[in-house]
Amino acid sequence: MSFSLQRLRAWWRAFRASRRGRRAIRAGRAALLAAVVAYFLYRFSQIGWAQVWRALPEQPLYYAILGVMYVLYPVGDAVVYGRVWRGASVQGCLPASFRKRILNQDLLSFSGEVYFYDWARRRVPQPGGVLWRTIKDNLIVTSVVSIGTASLILAVSLLVVPADLLQELQNTRAFYAAAGFVVLALGAGAAVRFRRALLSVTPAALGLMLGVHAARFTAGRVLQVVQWEVVVPEASLQTWLVLLSLLVLTSRIPFVPASDLV
């Protein structure tokens, strides 16, 4: 088995270095881009172009916030990988991080990680195993932070229940809040206890990942609520918090194409 893998890797390196291989790779990238564009055209056609155009927000602030939100995630990834990998830089990782985000968000979950690993193998002077383990660890930390964020958002939404439902849901609210904190505490304890089995990065790199992802998730979720509030100011804060928690949870479902449109 290992011999077959070695032969396959040797063939791929030779094919990628050949003229025909470079042409095939460029053609594959162009085909992938065309497939993404065709998929979006198909989805928008299902909705209806006129309806999509009428539904576009008219507030300029909405699009300004959208731009900032879109930049947060690739910049965060570039900071993590540019600092953790020796021989890499934040500036060098930034273009690939943007492509990674486009693939993950607009095409298929985790397809961006596959692309990013292939890019890193060609650009970062580190063994392939080190690169892949770092990407895996970053995925785990991102998932933990996002799920923890969703749990906290749900807990906060329970604390802002309308006054007319406060008496009716008082006991239930306390129960779910307590259960949520217990789950978070158990999850945090398990992560600390088994961190060496799950993660391969150094404590300093782990601290960097946690700090960067916590900061970008917090900023991104606050901006998301502000963006919604700009368009629909009459909605309640609890509505946005519940919707936000659902958005965070659905974004963690693997292998879902364009999860924002599902």
Side-chain angles (χ1 to χ4, degrees):
M1 182 66 177
S2 60
F3 178 71
S4 299
L5 288 176
Q6 290 177 358
R7 291 185 60 183
L8 181 61
R9 291 172 181 171
W11 173 85
W12 171 249
R13 285 194 292 267
F15 177 75
R16 188 173 60 186
S18 65
R19 178 180 300 179
R20 186 173 65 176
R22 290 194 296 268
R23 290 178 179 175
I25 291 174
R26 285 196 296 268
R29 291 173 179 170
L32 179 61
L33 178 60
V36 172
V37 174
Y39 176 77
F40 273 103
L41 293 176
Y42 169 72
R43 292 301 297 267
F44 284 131
S45 298
Q46 285 186 318
I47 299 173
W49 288 100
Q51 185 175 353
V52 171
W53 182 259
R54 288 193 301 268
L56 290 176
E58 299 178 355
Q59 297 85 349
L61 182 58
Y62 174 90
Y63 299 99
I65 296 174
L66 180 64
V68 175
M69 289 170 54
Y70 200 88
V71 168
L72 281 176
Y73 290 86
V75 168
D77 276 342
V79 170
V80 168
Y81 292 115
R83 296 290 183 86
V84 173
W85 284 337
R86 293 192 304 272
S89 65
V90 176
Q91 295 84 354
C93 293
L94 192 57
S97 297
F98 272 99
R99 298 188 189 100
K100 171 176 170 290
R101 173 166 173 75
I102 293 172
L103 291 172
N104 279 339
Q105 180 173 339
D106 301 330
L107 183 61
L108 188 67
S109 299
F110 304 129
S111 61
E113 275 69 30
V114 176
Y115 158 79
F116 197 73
Y117 172 71
D118 180 68
W119 172 87
R121 284 289 302 269
R122 293 181 282 109
R123 301 296 180 88
V124 180
Q126 292 288 320
V130 173
L131 299 175
W132 182 249
R133 285 192 295 270
T134 305
I135 294 174
K136 178 263 297 180
D137 293 347
N138 192 52
L139 273 175
I140 293 175
V141 173
T142 303
S143 299
V144 169
V145 173
S146 64
I147 293 174
T149 302
S151 301
L152 290 176
I153 292 171
L154 283 174
V156 171
S157 67
L158 291 173
L159 297 177
V160 293
V161 174
D164 56 344
L165 297 178
L166 182 60
Q167 186 65 32
E168 181 180 353
L169 297 179
Q170 184 174 4
N171 295 332
T172 304
R173 183 183 61 172
F175 170 77
Y176 281 118
F181 282 115
V182 169
V183 171
L184 285 176
L186 291 176
V192 172
R193 175 65 179 83
F194 300 105
R195 66 184 185 279
R196 294 184 179 179
L198 295 174
L199 305 173
S200 61
V201 294
T202 64
L206 178 59
L208 175 66
M209 289 180 179
L210 286 171
V212 169
H213 293 315
R216 79 174 188 177
F217 267 101
T218 302
R221 300 318 170 193
V222 171
L223 288 173
Q224 181 70 83
V225 172
V226 173
Q227 186 188 47
W228 289 337
E229 183 68 19
V230 168
V231 179
V232 190
E234 63 272 13
S236 64
L237 177 61
Q238 186 190 16
T239 301
W240 296 140
L241 291 176
V242 173
L243 180 60
L244 188 60
S245 61
L246 292 175
L247 178 65
V248 174
L249 292 176
T250 55
S251 67
R252 305 314 305 174
I253 300 175
F255 309 116
V256 176
S259 59
D260 288 347
L261 298 178
V262 173

